[in-house]
Amino acid sequence: MRIGRVVVALVVSCLVARPVWAQEGPATSGVNVFLDCNTFGCDFDFFRREIPVVNWVRDREVADVHVLITSRATGGGGRSFELSFLGLREFESDDLELTWASSGDAVQDEVRRGIAEQLKIGLVRYIAGTPAAETLSVSFGPVMGGGLPPGAMAPPGSARQQEDDPWDFWVFQIGANYFGFGESSLKDSNLRTSVSANRTTEDWKISVRGSYSRNSQSFELTDTTVEETREDWSSSGSVVKSIGGQWAVGFVASAGSSTFLNQDFRWSLKPGLEYNFFPYEESSRRSLTLQYLVGVNHWNYTEETIYRVTDETRLQESLTARLTLVQPWGQWSTSLHGQHYLQKIDDGQKYSLTLSGGIRVRLFQGFSVNVNGNYSWIRDQLHIEAGSLTDEQILLRQRQLETSYRWFTSFGISYRFGSIFNNVVNPRFGRGGGGEGMIIMM
């Protein structure tokens, strides 16, 4: 009997001690929240567990609050997350913007917890007028005393960040990756390494990076063995200076080698100018830029090209227009890139033009559509080697083939119907409760 009383007391004390944000069961606030998040750290199951006091709904049309989360890379290697709380229905025009930045070495758990804390802060204003407000409490962590929670970063450019940064905003990264696959009649191995150094401030952006890759393939056919190797290395650097407002000037340099592109060695030097029609601080939600580059390119070719040269130097200019929008109705991204050589080459002007874009739109409740694609008009393949390629080189894509165009497209639709609420999290046989299943492969 005494043991039973102790158990009941422990259970009651645990329930009382649990934070209101961690309580289970149906939401008590009656506030419907639609989460629109497609970036690193957006763990919807985790958010539902941490914040069950609201109704998480699947469609914006039935929501009281639309939470749009976007992010952009920071100079320290982390991400700056912008949470836009958009009031709907009875909260119409009651909007809120919050920003939180993760550190460059933050793991996913630290990022999702940081986002969850911002979600809690933002949702308080909408819950305040509901019965659930009586169960809310406010506490202040170590941030007020000068500390930062795990995974968080001091505000970019702040005095705190500059004072505590012995690296003077420089960030370095080294990586390597090996992939291997084999069967009795084939082998495939791929090695990739990379190194980078970046320094980003409000006025300057300096970036240096390099990479190396080697791909080897071996196939045992009926009467022969085919072996091919593709090897590439590249390095690039850029220095960009903000010149006030929405203008920036920069200088880009690169060097490299590629068996696929018939390039024994190449280098280029190009200064340029960029203008953003929107303020740069809005770039995670909307951006429209024009970028112009002009400079010199040089190539030493592995094999003689179809233009009967083994090396050449050319002046080249390019213009790129890029539009990106992340809005409550969906996302849209498109770009138009054109480049050409300033001198005529044998049979005329050499140029290329690439149009690419993608859009994802919610047309009505539960129904969304996405379209992606690009198309390139190609008239500047100076590197194509003379003579014919072997069948093995063509089939294994070890050399780039001559072409006048290149395209890619994808199209998809999605329709969900049924219960508009999705507060319950059940990870058995897969994560979440949204209809995910398990595939058994024999």
Side-chain angles (χ1 to χ4, degrees), residues 95-403:
D95 301 339
L96 175 67
E97 298 280 341
L98 294 178
T99 302
W100 178 78
S102 66
S103 62
D105 59 351
V107 297
Q108 183 170 0
D109 183 61
E110 293 172 332
V111 174
R112 68 181 185 176
R113 289 185 182 278
I115 296 175
E117 289 302 312
Q118 298 302 310
L119 284 171
K120 295 175 184 178
I121 294 171
L123 290 173
V124 165
R125 67 189 295 163
Y126 304 103
I127 300 172
T130 72
E134 298 179 1
T135 65
L136 298 180
S137 62
V138 179
S139 63
F140 296 96
V143 177
M144 301 302 292
L148 290 171
M153 183 180 67
S158 66
R160 167 67 193 277
Q161 186 186 51
Q162 297 177 30
E163 178 182 331
D164 294 347
D165 188 4
W167 293 96
D168 190 29
F169 295 101
W170 279 100
V171 178
F172 303 88
Q173 183 170 323
I174 299 175
N177 184 38
Y178 173 78
F179 165 81
F181 173 77
E183 293 182 355
S184 58
S185 59
L186 65 89
K187 296 178 182 177
D188 191 344
S189 65
N190 197 327
L191 172 66
R192 296 177 181 270
T193 62
S194 63
V195 59
S196 67
N198 301 276
R199 185 179 189 271
T200 304
T201 67
E202 290 293 333
D203 295 325
W204 289 91
K205 182 178 180 181
I206 304 173
S207 176
V208 180
R209 64 187 64 246
S211 65
Y212 169 81
S213 67
R214 179 184 175 87
N215 177 241
S216 299
Q217 296 176 296
S218 174
F219 297 86
E220 293 185 10
L221 305 180
T222 303
D223 54 358
T224 185
T225 298
V226 177
E227 296 182 350
E228 286 290 341
T229 298
R230 176 170 164 178
E231 190 172 18
D232 302 273
W233 70 266
S234 65
S235 62
S236 62
S238 63
V239 178
V240 180
K241 175 68 170 66
S242 172
I243 54 177
Q246 289 142 247
W247 288 95
V249 295
F251 187 84
V252 180
S254 66
S257 173
S258 172
T259 56
F260 180 70
L261 298 176
N262 187 34
Q263 296 171 351
D264 189 48
F265 181 69
R266 70 176 186 275
W267 60 264
S268 68
L269 297 171
K270 297 178 182 179
L273 185 69
E274 181 180 88
Y275 179 75
N276 192 346
F277 290 88
F278 299 111
Y280 280 100
E281 55 267 23
E282 299 179 10
S283 60
S284 67
R285 290 286 300 274
R286 58 178 185 171
S287 175
L288 175 58
T289 60
L290 280 177
Q291 183 187 87
Y292 175 77
L293 295 172
V294 60
V296 59
N297 292 327
H298 177 80
W299 301 272
N300 289 329
Y301 298 113
T302 305
E303 302 291 341
E304 185 180 65
T305 71
I306 55 177
Y307 295 101
R308 303 303 177 186
V309 296
T310 55
D311 66 89
E312 60 183 328
T313 302
R314 302 286 181 183
L315 290 174
Q316 185 186 55
E317 64 177 352
S318 66
L319 181 64
T320 305
R322 181 175 290 108
L323 172 65
T324 302
L325 296 174
V326 181
Q327 299 297 321
W329 48 261
Q331 301 178 15
W332 182 21
S333 151
T334 186
S335 67
L336 179 62
H337 173 80
Q339 62 182 34
H340 77 103
Y341 296 102
L342 299 181
Q343 319 99 299
K344 290 186 177 181
I345 303 173
D346 291 352
D347 56 349
Q349 187 67 57
K350 296 300 179 183
Y351 68 91
S352 66
L353 188 65
T354 300
L355 176 65
S356 61
I359 186 170
R360 179 175 64 87
V361 181
R362 276 186 303 272
L363 297 181
F364 52 85
Q365 182 172 330
F367 185 84
S368 63
V369 59
N370 66 83
V371 181
N372 296 275
N374 63 64
Y375 191 95
S376 297
W377 293 265
I378 303 171
R379 304 290 188 275
D380 59 354
Q381 289 182 297
L382 304 183
H383 57 274
I384 300 298
E385 60 185 90
S388 59
L389 300 176
T390 65
D391 292 339
E392 291 82 1
Q393 289 175 325
I394 295 174
L395 292 174
L396 298 180
R397 294 284 293 167
Q398 295 299 314
R399 300 291 187 276
Q400 189 173 70
L401 305 178
E402 186 175 9
T403 182

